[in-house]
Amino acid sequence: MKYLRYLFLALAIWGAIHPMFYFMRWILANDWDWGGMIDAWYVNDSATGLTWDLTISAIALTLWILIDSARRRDALGLICIPLTFGIGLSCGLPLYIFLRSRPSKAA
């Protein structure tokens, strides 16, 4: 189980770096035009569908994090919410699973 936990950490790191590489290339090539990037997310039906798929998934993850963190009284996982919306679901979800699967403190 320990190795599986670190696999999720590796996925979170990959999910932060790999998509950001493409985002930064686009942003630099388009003179930091964030509006243009958002417009590109809706350039056709396929891109729009993927955008909504990821948005709905990010909202579901956010609700899960909020409810689970409150129930467990563990605020560390809340860091995954801004990472999900600032970097992407590919970073926030595996990072939350990594944090959620850490060994509990002995009582």
Side-chain angles (χ1 to χ4, degrees), residues 65 75-84 95 99:
I65 291 170
L76 183 60
L78 296 174
I79 189 68
C80 298
I81 295 171
L83 292 176
T84 297
L95 183 61
L99 294 173

Side-chain angles (χ1 to χ4, degrees), residues 32-74:
W32 292 84
D33 180 16
W34 291 97
M37 179 182 246
I38 293 170
D39 289 342
W41 296 345
Y42 300 97
V43 72
N44 59 42
D45 287 344
S46 177
T48 300
L50 183 59
T51 297
W52 278 110
D53 180 64
L54 293 171
T55 300
I56 293 165
S57 298
I59 292 168
L61 175 61
T62 298
L63 291 174
W64 178 37
I65 291 170
L66 290 171
I67 292 165
D68 193 50
S69 294
R71 184 183 58 80
R72 296 183 64 200
R73 298 175 195 243
D74 183 7

Side-chain angles (χ1 to χ4, degrees), residues 7-25:
L7 177 61
F8 282 110
L9 180 59
L11 287 170
I13 293 167
W14 182 22
I17 294 170
H18 198 158
M20 198 55 64
F21 170 78
Y22 293 100
F23 291 148
M24 290 308 298
R25 276 184 33 177

